Amino acid sequence: MKIAYISTYPPRECGLATFNQNLVNALSLNKAYQPQKSFVVALNESDDLNEHDYPKEVKFVIRQQNQQDYIEAADFINNSDVDTCIIEHEFGIYGGNSGVFLLSLINRLKKPFISILHTVLKEPNFMQQTIIKEIALKSAKIVVMSKKAVLFLTSIYQIPKSSIQLIEHGVPDLEPIINNEISQSSLFKGRKVLFTFGLISRNKGLETVIKALPEIVAQNPDVLYVILGNTHPGVVKHNGEEYRDSLKALAKELGVENNIAFVNKFVSENELHQYLTASSIYITPYLNEAQITSGTLSYAIGAGAAVVSTPYWHAQELLADNRGKLFDFKDDKQLAIIVNELLGDDRKYQKLRENAYQYGLNLRWPAIGGVYLQVLEDALAAGKKPERITPPIIDVESMPALNLDHISLLTDDTGIIQHARFGIPNLKEGYCIDDNARALIMTLMASEQDKNPKALKFMPVYLSFIQYMQADNGNFRNFLSFNRNYLDEVGSEDSFGRTIWSLGYLISSAPNNSYREFGRELFSHAITHFKELKYIRGKANTIIGLSYYLCAHPGDEVITTEINLLAKALTTAYQENKDGEWHWFEDILTYDNAILPLALLHHYEATGNLTSYKIAMESISFLNSFSFENGYLNPVGNAGWMKKHGKNPIYDQQAIETMAMVLLYAKTFEITKDTQYLSLMHTSYEWFLGKNSLHIPLYDFETHGCADGLQFNSVNRNQGAESTLAYFISHLAILKAAEAEYETLASPLVEADKCI
C-alpha cells in the first residue's frame, strides 16, 4: 500500500506534525506498506516554501493561505501512484475561513482517503460544521480519538456512526530507561518533580499549579515544578513572552521561585520520555473542558506516569478506572491536596502509575499503526472515492494571493493616504474619509476571511481617522491635509453614506466588542443626519450601512424607520424615471451605479420589502443589458456617462464601478442562489486581472496596488487608495462567494447568513 499523508510535518514544531511523523513511522513497520513509494504533503504556515528544511519524504508543500497550492497538491497526488491518502484535520492548519481551502483539495482528489479529526467542536459555527460534514461525506472513514468525539459527530454533525472509527491517540513505543540522564541531572537530582510539557499559552492554566505550590512545598520542600516547552509561536508573535514572564512573577510573589523551572525547548520523543519517567507527577491544568484530544496526556499515560489533570473531555476518558486523578478547573487548593496525598502515600502512587502503564501498552504506535492500516485496507476494498463536483464558477486558481503591501505603503499612523503617483504615496493630497471608510470595510472582510494580521493592525487606524473626522454635531468631514488640518467642514453625502456603511458593517462584524462599541457610538451620533440626505447615492450607501446594523440589532425600530424612508426615496426615483426600456433611477447613469440596486437588495434582506426586491431585480437586468461585451465587463465610463436611451461611453472605466458590480452580484446570488450571478460576479472581478476591453491588468502584481482607471488606450498607472481598495474589496468578496458557491452546491437548502 502506498499512502500520501496531508498534514504538518517536522521540523515544523507542531503537535500534528509529530503525530503525522509517528503515524508514517508506525505504518512503515508493516510488511503490507511501501514507505519508499509513499510521501508527505506538508502544510507551511508562511508563504516561504523554504521555511522548513523538510526530510526527503516530503514531496509537496502547501502554503497555508494560498488556495492554488491546495488545487495543485490534489493534482500532484492524483498523478502519483499512491493508493490512498490520510488527511490530518485541525482547523488552524488550513487556509481560508475555518480552513475551507482544504475543500479545494478534497473535491479534486481522485484517490480514496481517510480523515483524522484532531478537534471536534461542541458548538461549531456554520462554516466549521459545513466543512466537517463535507470532509465526512468525501472520506472513506472519519477517525477520532475519543468517545466524546464520536458522540459529537453523530449528535451535532449528523454523521452516521458507521462512517466513524475510534482509534485512540498513539504513544511512543518506549520502555523506562535504567540510566535516565534527566533524573541524574542537576535540575532533577534530589527533587520530587511535578511536570508539564507542551507549547505554552494562557489556556494551559499553568498559573493554577504555581498557586498550589506554596501548600505543596510546605509538606514537600524538595518539590520542583518543571515546565518544558517553547511558548506557542502565535503567542510569541502577538504578545512575546508576556505569559511566561507573568508566571515567573507569580512564583516570586508566592515565594516559590526556587520551586519552579522553565526548560524552553522543543524536545525529541526519546528525551521527552526521559523527562516523563524522571518526574514524580505529570499535571495538565487546562482551563476548560473543551479539549477533545490531548497528545501530551496520551504520552504521559503511555510512559506510565502518575497523572493529575483538570476534567477536560479527553482526561475524563483516559484517566478513568484509577489511571489518574482529576481536580476541578482553576482549583489550586484541590490540586495541592491531591499532589500531597500522592507524594505521601507510595501505595496509591504506585498503583496509579501501574494502571496507566498497563493501559498505555495498548496505545503504542506499532499497535495503533496496525489499526490504521486495516482502516485504509477497508477503504481500498470498498473502492470509495471522493464525489466529484461540477467545476466551480468562481475560478480561484486564477486569483493572485492576497497581498496588502501597497495598502501598508499608503497607510500611516493617521489613516490611508488618498492618492499615489504610480505606486508612491502622494502626501500632498492628504486623506479623505471616503477611502478610510472603504479601508475599514476591507480590513473587516480580510479579518473575516483569514484573520489577516495586517488588516487587524490597520483596523484601529482607520477607525481612529473616522472618529477624528466626525464633527461635534455627528456629521462627518471628508478631507484632511497631510499635516492633519481639516479641509472642509461638511463632507459630501457620498462620503457620509460610505462612512455609515463602514460603521454598520463594523457593528455587525467587528473582531472584538471594543471596536463594536466604538463604532456604535460614532454611528449613533450620526443618526440625526439621515433625514437630511438629498442625493440617492448618499442614501443608497447609508441604506447598506443600516442593513448591516439591523443584522446585529434586528429589533431597532428607529433604524428600521430610517431605512424604510431612505429606500422609499430610491423606489420613488426609479418609478419616476422608468420609461419604456429605461429601467433606472435617474435619466443618466453616472458613477457607482450598481450601489443603487445593491442598496435595495440590502433593504429587502433587512425588512422583507418586496417592492425593493422587484425594483432591484429589474434594474439589475437593465444594467446587465449593456455592461458586458465579448465575455468581459464594460462598466459605465465617466467620459460623458450614459444618458437616457444613449450608449455606454465605455471609457474611462473606474475601479469603484467594478467593485460595485462585484458586490451587487454577490448579494444577488446570496439572495436568489441563482448561479448566473456568480458567473457575472467572477467576470466582473476579472476586469481587474486583464479580462477587459484592452486586455490589460489593472492589478499590479509587482506593487500589489491597482491602477486608477482603464483609459481608451492604456491604464492610469497611478495606484491610489480608492482603486486599490476597490480591488481588494472585490477580491475578498470573490473569496467569500467561492465559499458560498461551495456551500450552496453541497447544501442547496441551507439559507445564507444575511449578515454577511
Side-chain angles (χ1 to χ4, degrees), residues 28 83 225 297 379 412 483:
S28 69
D83 303 301
Y225 180 37
L297 185 68
D412 61 15
N483 59 1

Side-chain angles (χ1 to χ4, degrees), residues 109-113 137-138 140 379 382-388:
L109 204 55
K110 298 178 181 178
K111 311 282 185 176
F113 63 90
L137 179 66
K138 300 294 166 60
K384 182 172 181 180
K385 296 183 179 180
E387 298 174 19
R388 307 306 308 283

Side-chain angles (χ1 to χ4, degrees), residues 562-627:
E562 295 289 350
I563 197 173
N564 286 336
L565 289 171
L566 293 169
K568 179 64 175 175
L570 263 66
T571 57
T572 299
Y574 178 84
Q575 290 159 349
E576 290 176 350
N577 286 280
K578 179 181 177 182
D579 179 16
E581 298 300 318
W582 185 262
H583 293 177
W584 199 244
F585 303 82
E586 300 170 295
D587 61 0
I588 187 172
L589 283 101
T590 56
Y591 63 95
D592 228 0
N593 295 295
I595 292 297
L596 303 178
L598 175 61
L600 290 183
L601 289 179
H602 274 273
H603 179 241
Y604 164 70
E605 274 198 326
T607 66
N609 187 291
L610 293 175
T611 299
S612 288
Y613 176 78
K614 179 176 180 293
I615 290 175
M617 297 307 291
E618 282 184 8
S619 57
I620 289 170
S621 295
F622 174 68
L623 198 58
N624 293 348
S625 68
F626 56 82
S627 295

Side-chain angles (χ1 to χ4, degrees), residues 364-378:
R364 296 194 178 188
W365 272 114
I368 294 295
V371 180
Y372 273 103
L373 199 62
Q374 185 59 56
V375 173
L376 289 168
E377 288 172 348
D378 292 345

Side-chain angles (χ1 to χ4, degrees), residues 659-720:
M659 178 193 78
M661 300 287 272
V662 169
L663 296 178
L664 173 63
Y665 295 129
K667 180 58 66 177
T668 312
F669 170 72
E670 185 181 316
I671 291 172
T672 66
K673 301 298 184 292
D674 187 337
T675 55
Q676 70 166 310
Y677 297 109
L678 277 181
S679 182
L680 291 170
M681 180 190 189
H682 188 245
T683 300
S684 299
Y685 167 75
E686 288 185 311
W687 177 90
F688 290 103
L689 303 181
K691 291 191 176 180
N692 49 53
S693 57
L694 291 185
H695 304 284
I696 300 174
L698 284 86
Y699 177 73
D700 188 327
F701 289 81
E702 182 179 10
T703 66
H704 307 291
C706 180
D708 278 352
L710 188 70
Q711 300 165 340
F712 78 97
N713 63 350
S714 185
V715 297
N716 183 332
R717 291 284 291 138
N718 294 330
Q719 298 175 7

